[in-house]
């Protein structure tokens, strides 16, 4: 059956991004409650070591992403977008439920952190293709002149997850004491995530296959897909470097923000959650706006402009914040970094679906995204924590974001150099 008509495209977007929402919701919770998770599962001699172990476990999930991208991505390109997205949801749900119900270290000892790690690895394996599967589905069901706008809602669903997670966290802080949250209250959002799994599974099952996939006369075998990825390794590497900018920025301004505000700036947890909520709103506004703008003026101008802006302004903004920490300064700086991230990402995700050959679009996109997240973005909280500890400079995380922007700028110049322009358009049309 073909993709739903235009009148139901909004419903289709909501159905396809629902699983992406759940995946990101659980990822954010791990970052939001990192200090409590550290105490429950990774007790150590000092707060820094405990927190680093927690963020190391958080980052370990990202190491599974390339494997998920390769194996699940090949599966999606072979059997279809719809079936693949149902499989990723099932794997993701297993990881979520495991983390929600694992007893603490005090109860079952070393088995506790091991089970949490397994849950994170399952989530990472699923996430390896979730973003790619959703992005490719949206790009293939979108009208030709609105692909940037439609694909931006893949990232948009992540921002809704940030907003919901921050609202739940804020409510818990108002209803429970700090001791209750640290003891058991931090688990409540994870339970909520587990409870919505059946609902998302039902609505995702109603997805229809995309016309672009059904119209393809030849669906490559797994061996053919792997061969094509090897042949197109330069595209994958360039795409990975482009994604470094977006994934580092994303995890810096979302997952790391609550810990940064509380542990580094010594602001209240409520202040940090409010800032995170506002960042989610800001991202949700700018992503579709810039996605739509990229449909009008092209991807290249936006990608170049916002990597340069990030290189020039990220560190000065963070230095201004850490020079005299306050809620107001943190809000202003995080909203600026949000503008940089969302503007770049609004053009980046659709650009990535365009530069990867159509026959291996899901696995190629997912592999580029997963490698960037596994090697750079996923370890942003851990790298930020380590940079501050090693340098004594509270603004040091901005140096990591600046480095990511340099990667994005260089890759964009390579992909969109004059000789490549025609090939990029051709790849999009295949």
């Amino acid at each position: 059956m073909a993709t739903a008509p235009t009148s139901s495209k909004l419903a289709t977007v909501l159905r396809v991004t629902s699983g992406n929402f759940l995946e990101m919701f659980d990822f954010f919770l791990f970052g939001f409650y990192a200090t409590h998770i550290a105490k429950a599962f990774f007790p150590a001699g000092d707060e820094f070591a405990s927190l680093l172990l927690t963020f190391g476990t958080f980052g370990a999930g990202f190491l599974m992403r390339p494997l998920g991208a390769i194996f699940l991505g090949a599966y999606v390109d072979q059997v279809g977008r719809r079936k693949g997205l149902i499989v990723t949801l099932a794997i993701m749900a297993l990881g979520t439920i495991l983390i929600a119900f694992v007893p603490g270290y005090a109860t079952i000892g070393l088995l506790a952190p091991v089970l949490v790690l397994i849950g994170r690895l399952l989530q990472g394996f699923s996430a390896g293709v979730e973003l790619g599967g959703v992005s490719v589905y949206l790009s293939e069901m979108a009208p030709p002149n609105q692909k940037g706008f439609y694909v931006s809602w893949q990232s948009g669903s992540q921002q809704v997850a940030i907003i919901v997670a921050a609202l739940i966290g804020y409510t818990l802080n108002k209803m429970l004491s700090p001791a209750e949250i640290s003891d058991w209250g931090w688990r409540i959002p994870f339970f909520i995530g587990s409870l919505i799994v059946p609902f998302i599974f039902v609505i995702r099952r109603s997805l229809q296959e995309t016309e672009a996939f059904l119209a393809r006369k030849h669906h490559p075998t797994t061996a053919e897909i792997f061969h094509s990825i090897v042949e197109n390794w330069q595209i994958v590497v360039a795409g990975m470097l482009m994604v470094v900018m977006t994934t580092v920025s994303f995890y810096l301004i979302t997952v790391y923000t609550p810990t940064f505000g509380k542990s580094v700036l010594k602001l209240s947890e409520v202040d940090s959650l409010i800032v995170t909520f506002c960042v989610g709103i800001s991202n949700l506004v700018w992503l579709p706006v810039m996605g739509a703008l990229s449909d009008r003026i092209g991807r290249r101008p936006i990608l170049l402009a916002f990597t340069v802006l990030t290189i020039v302004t990220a560190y000065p903004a963070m230095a201004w914040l850490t020079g005299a920490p306050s809620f107001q300064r943190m809000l202003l700086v995080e909203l600026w970094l949000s503008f940089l991230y969302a503007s770049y990402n609004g053009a980046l995700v659709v650009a990535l679906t365009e530069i990867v050959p159509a026959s291996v679009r899901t696995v190629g996109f997912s592999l580029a995204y997963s490698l960037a997240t596994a090697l750079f973005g996923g370890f942003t909280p851990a790298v930020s924590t380590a940079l501050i500890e090693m340098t004594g400079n509270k603004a040091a995380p901005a140096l990591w974001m600046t480095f990511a922007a340099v990667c994005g700028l260089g890759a964009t110049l390579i992909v969109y150099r004059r000789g490549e322009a025609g090939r990029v358009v051709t790849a999009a049309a295949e």
Side-chain angles (χ1 to χ4, degrees):
M1 189 178 291
T3 308
T6 304
S7 59
S8 63
K9 283 190 181 294
L10 174 60
T12 301
V13 169
L14 292 175
R15 285 197 296 270
V16 74
T17 57
S18 60
N20 198 36
F21 161 85
L22 176 64
E23 177 209 332
M24 290 297 107
F25 178 72
D26 292 321
F27 269 50
F28 300 144
L29 292 180
F30 205 97
F32 286 174
Y33 295 103
T35 54
H36 305 303
I37 291 173
K39 190 178 299 183
F41 298 113
F42 303 96
D46 62 82
E47 182 181 354
F48 167 71
S50 181
L51 195 58
L52 200 57
L53 282 171
T54 303
F55 281 137
T57 302
F58 178 77
F62 294 98
L63 297 178
M64 289 294 289
R65 284 195 173 206
L67 291 177
I70 292 171
F71 293 104
L72 292 178
Y75 176 78
V76 174
D77 280 327
Q78 189 173 4
V79 305
R81 317 310 188 197
R82 175 185 174 276
K83 290 181 180 179
L85 289 174
I86 292 175
V87 170
T88 62
L89 178 61
I91 297 173
M92 181 199 318
L94 286 175
T96 298
I97 293 170
L98 189 59
I99 293 175
F101 291 95
V102 170
Y105 183 91
T107 303
I108 60 174
L110 286 174
L111 187 59
V114 169
L115 289 175
V116 169
L117 177 60
I118 292 173
R120 286 290 300 127
L121 294 178
L122 285 172
Q123 287 182 330
F125 188 71
S126 166
V129 79
E130 176 70 19
L131 295 180
V134 169
S135 300
V136 168
Y137 190 100
L138 292 173
S139 71
E140 291 184 348
M141 57 82 69
N145 61 342
Q146 293 182 290
K147 289 185 181 295
F149 176 74
Y150 273 80
V151 175
S152 70
W153 290 105
Q154 176 268 107
S155 298
S157 66
Q158 298 177 22
Q159 315 316 314
V160 177
I162 296 173
I163 294 166
V164 172
L167 282 174
I168 292 174
Y170 179 83
T171 302
L172 288 177
N173 273 276
K174 290 297 183 181
M175 295 177 62
L176 303 175
S177 68
E180 288 173 324
I181 292 175
S182 180
D183 187 31
W184 54 269
W186 65 267
R187 290 183 182 270
I188 293 176
F190 286 95
F191 293 150
I192 293 173
S194 299
L195 291 174
I196 65 176
V197 167
F199 170 73
I200 295 179
F201 184 76
V202 169
I203 63 175
R204 182 165 274 193
R205 284 189 65 188
S206 66
L207 282 175
Q208 298 172 319
E209 190 53 81
T210 66
E211 291 179 354
F213 182 83
L214 292 174
R216 206 161 294 139
K217 295 180 179 179
H218 174 67
H219 295 151
T221 64
T222 302
E224 289 173 331
I225 289 171
F226 289 167
H227 178 71
S228 180
I229 286 297
V230 172
E231 279 191 334
N232 292 282
W233 67 269
Q234 292 174 310
I235 298 175
V236 173
V237 171
M240 178 195 76
L241 291 174
M242 291 172 72
V243 175
V244 168
M245 161 64 182
T246 197
T247 188
V248 167
S249 302
F250 178 70
Y251 286 102
L252 183 67
I253 67 175
T254 57
V255 173
Y256 184 62
T257 289
T259 301
F260 182 70
K262 181 180 177 182
S263 300
V264 179
L265 301 183
K266 305 303 179 183
L267 301 178
S268 73
E269 190 165 332
V270 170
D271 283 347
S272 297
L273 287 169
I274 291 174
V275 170
T276 304
F277 173 81
C278 293
V279 165
I281 294 290
S282 172
N283 291 344
L284 188 58
V285 170
W286 289 115
L287 281 165
V289 168
M290 291 302 178
L293 182 62
S294 75
D295 288 327
R296 290 180 173 272
I297 68 173
R299 323 300 181 201
R300 184 176 182 271
I302 294 176
L303 296 175
L304 291 177
F306 284 94
T307 49
V308 172
L309 264 178
T310 301
I311 292 168
V312 172
T313 66
Y315 183 80
M318 189 72 82
W320 178 72
L321 166 61
T322 57
S326 68
F327 169 76
Q328 291 79 8
R329 286 197 177 199
M330 185 177 181
L331 180 61
L332 287 174
V333 170
E334 291 288 341
L335 288 179
W336 172 249
L337 298 182
S338 161
F339 173 63
L340 297 177
Y341 152 76
S343 299
Y344 178 86
N345 196 65
L348 176 277
V349 178
V350 67
L352 197 56
T353 67
E354 292 171 345
I355 66 175
V356 178
S359 60
V360 291
R361 186 166 284 153
T362 303
V363 65
F365 179 109
S366 299
L367 187 57
Y369 215 105
S370 298
L371 286 171
T373 306
L375 299 176
F376 301 94
F379 286 96
T380 290
V383 169
S384 298
T385 302
L387 282 174
I388 293 172
E389 182 71 13
M390 289 188 297
T391 65
N393 180 1
K394 295 179 180 179
L399 297 174
W400 184 235
M401 185 173 177
T402 302
F403 164 76
V406 171
C407 291
L409 177 61
T412 299
L413 290 172
I414 291 171
V415 168
Y416 287 96
R417 65 181 184 267
R418 190 170 302 173
E420 290 286 294
R423 188 192 57 72
V424 170
V425 174
T426 301
E430 286 181 358

